[in-house]
Amino acid sequence: MKKRDKLFVLAYFLNILNGIFLLLGLMLVAFGHWILLDGNKFVTILLSTGEISLIQSISNMLLATGSIIVFIGLLGYLGSIRRIRCLVIVYMVLVVLVFAAQVGMLIQLYTRTETVIKLWKVQMDELIYTYGNKELLEKEPQWDILNSIQRVLQCCGRYNSTDWNRNEHKEHENQVPCSCTTSNMKKWFCDAPKNATYTKGCEEVIKAWYEENIWILLMIHFGLLAVEVLQFIISTWLSSTMRKNVVLPTK
């Protein structure tokens, strides 16, 4: 194969990989925005401790990584189309750095999974215990979110409706939040008729949500890692070919 044709083919395949790279980067950005702005605000509440929100940290990390990937992809396009070898070299270095950062993120996700699960369990137990406390009305937005979870997902408590026995702010022991029942009443607590109270606990549903989204995130990351390996190989080959001062045909 002639050197000019070789350069053209390498640039062509690098641009295809860049397209995939850009798409996956945009998916990370969208995923980060979705986690932060999603209607499932209960996750933000459950994973918030004081001034530190684990969900917000994860979201910001995804947004930053996705934005950097989009920038690198555009840089790669510019370098290959305009045949600017120094941009291709910068592109190669950045791909390696992003690869290393993603490996670090995957390690973080793996090692912090148990921490995340323990954290939201503690937070949900606290919400159940403080729910309806007239001295803690600043927590009312969080209680409203908990009510929305139970009503929409048709679940009650963390394990089941007996979790509400620990709540000391009910009028009497047999009450549960109205959101735990089929009632449409807007009060904090309602009587718990056996046939109208949800029996499923919310922990199972929340855990399934978390695991589903983690798997999506892992698939995006592994897809990016595979593309980055190919990008590095082809961009190295392209840079080496460019060093021969071969001019790529404009058509």
Side-chain angles (χ1 to χ4, degrees), residues 161-210:
S161 60
T162 59
D163 291 332
W164 288 100
N165 293 338
R166 295 176 310 205
N167 185 285
E168 300 177 352
H169 310 292
K170 301 179 290 185
E171 293 180 3
H172 57 81
E173 187 176 334
N174 293 328
Q175 286 188 322
V176 294
C178 295
S179 58
C180 276
T181 71
T182 56
S183 171
N184 292 322
M185 298 180 67
K186 300 297 182 182
K187 300 191 301 181
W188 290 119
F189 293 102
C190 292
D191 292 332
K194 291 183 179 180
N195 296 330
T197 303
Y198 302 132
T199 57
K200 180 176 62 175
C202 297
E203 177 178 325
E204 180 182 348
V205 179
I206 297 173
K207 186 177 180 181
W209 180 94
Y210 176 79

Side-chain angles (χ1 to χ4, degrees), residues 64-164:
T65 304
S67 300
I68 292 171
I69 286 173
V70 171
F71 171 76
I72 294 173
L74 294 175
L75 191 68
Y77 270 123
L78 182 62
S80 62
I81 292 173
R82 295 292 183 181
R83 285 87 71 192
I84 304 174
R85 184 169 178 266
C86 63
L87 285 183
V88 175
I89 293 174
V90 171
Y91 169 82
M92 289 164 51
V93 173
L94 291 176
V95 166
V96 172
L97 293 177
V98 169
F99 184 91
Q102 283 184 254
V103 171
M105 286 178 64
L106 288 173
I107 293 173
Q108 283 284 332
L109 286 172
Y110 178 77
T111 57
R112 298 191 69 177
T113 296
E114 288 300 321
T115 302
V116 169
I117 293 173
K118 289 178 182 178
L119 180 58
W120 68 253
K121 286 181 179 180
V122 170
Q123 290 297 99
M124 189 164 187
D125 284 341
E126 182 181 350
L127 284 177
I128 291 173
Y129 182 76
T130 61
Y131 180 91
N133 188 339
K134 296 179 180 179
E135 297 179 359
L136 295 174
L137 292 180
E138 68 274 8
K139 289 184 174 291
E140 188 170 332
Q142 299 181 19
W143 300 339
D144 288 337
I145 292 169
L146 182 57
N147 281 329
S148 297
I149 299 169
Q150 295 184 140
R151 185 171 290 112
V152 172
L153 302 180
Q154 297 185 352
C155 59
C156 187
R158 202 177 108 194
Y159 295 113
N160 51 53
S161 60
T162 59
D163 291 332
W164 288 100

